[in-house]
Amino acid sequence: MAALVEGGWAVIIDATFICRSARTAARQCAGGLGVPFFILRFGANAAVLRERLRQRAARASDASEADETVLAAQERALEPLLPDELSQAVDVQPLPGASGSGAMPQADWRPLLSRLAAGQPRPDKARQGTQRPLASDTGEPLSRMP
């Protein structure tokens, strides 16, 4: 992550972050690099999550290895956010009128975008009016990812 940020890339770490130690390590790395850090919280009840997993399995085209056994293990291992983490949490909600079915609804990203807009770019990484595309934690630009 550090090499990407130092290279001027915005970074999104795709992780469950169910363990506080993983969240703390990512937060400390971001702090050391002087970049914003947010935890995105996606809410869904267990029944909806199980239904989404069943639908993915039925399509047999998803690269994820997650199944109901993985979900159950994640639910058992979940370490809830503590007060010092809550200021960095952004709740991501479905758009009003989004389907309540097992399908993933469109999300309302405005809370995250407004918090990102409030941040200041690092002067040493300014690109004179240009901006690199977002990158995943693998370094591949999102525009090139499948």
Side-chain angles (χ1 to χ4, degrees), residues 121-139:
R122 291 175 50 192
D124 62 326
K125 298 299 176 198
R127 300 232 180 254
Q128 300 176 358
T130 63
Q131 185 177 25
R132 290 181 128 174
L134 291 176
S136 72
D137 57 342
T138 63

Side-chain angles (χ1 to χ4, degrees), residues 5-46:
V5 171
E6 289 168 351
W9 292 90
V11 176
I12 297 172
I13 301 172
D14 181 11
T16 58
F17 274 141
I18 58 176
C19 297
R20 180 172 168 82
S21 62
R23 296 189 303 262
T24 299
R27 182 175 57 180
Q28 288 174 343
C29 183
L33 294 166
V35 296
F37 175 80
F38 299 103
I39 298 170
L40 303 181
R41 291 194 303 183
F42 296 86
N45 68 47

Side-chain angles (χ1 to χ4, degrees), residues 59-138:
R59 287 192 301 269
S61 62
D62 193 275
S64 174
E65 298 161 355
D67 59 17
E68 291 186 56
T69 303
V70 171
L71 176 61
Q74 289 175 340
E75 290 172 332
R76 286 189 303 275
L78 177 64
E79 296 174 6
L81 298 182
L82 295 178
D84 66 313
E85 299 172 297
L86 291 174
S87 66
Q88 293 158 324
V90 178
D91 290 314
V92 179
Q93 300 295 329
L95 287 171
S99 169
S101 70
M104 178 60 99
Q106 294 291 317
D108 181 1
W109 294 103
R110 291 175 294 185
L112 174 63
L113 295 174
S114 65
R115 289 183 69 177
L116 288 171
Q120 299 298 316
R122 291 175 50 192
D124 62 326
K125 298 299 176 198
R127 300 232 180 254
Q128 300 176 358
T130 63
Q131 185 177 25
R132 290 181 128 174
L134 291 176
S136 72
D137 57 342
T138 63

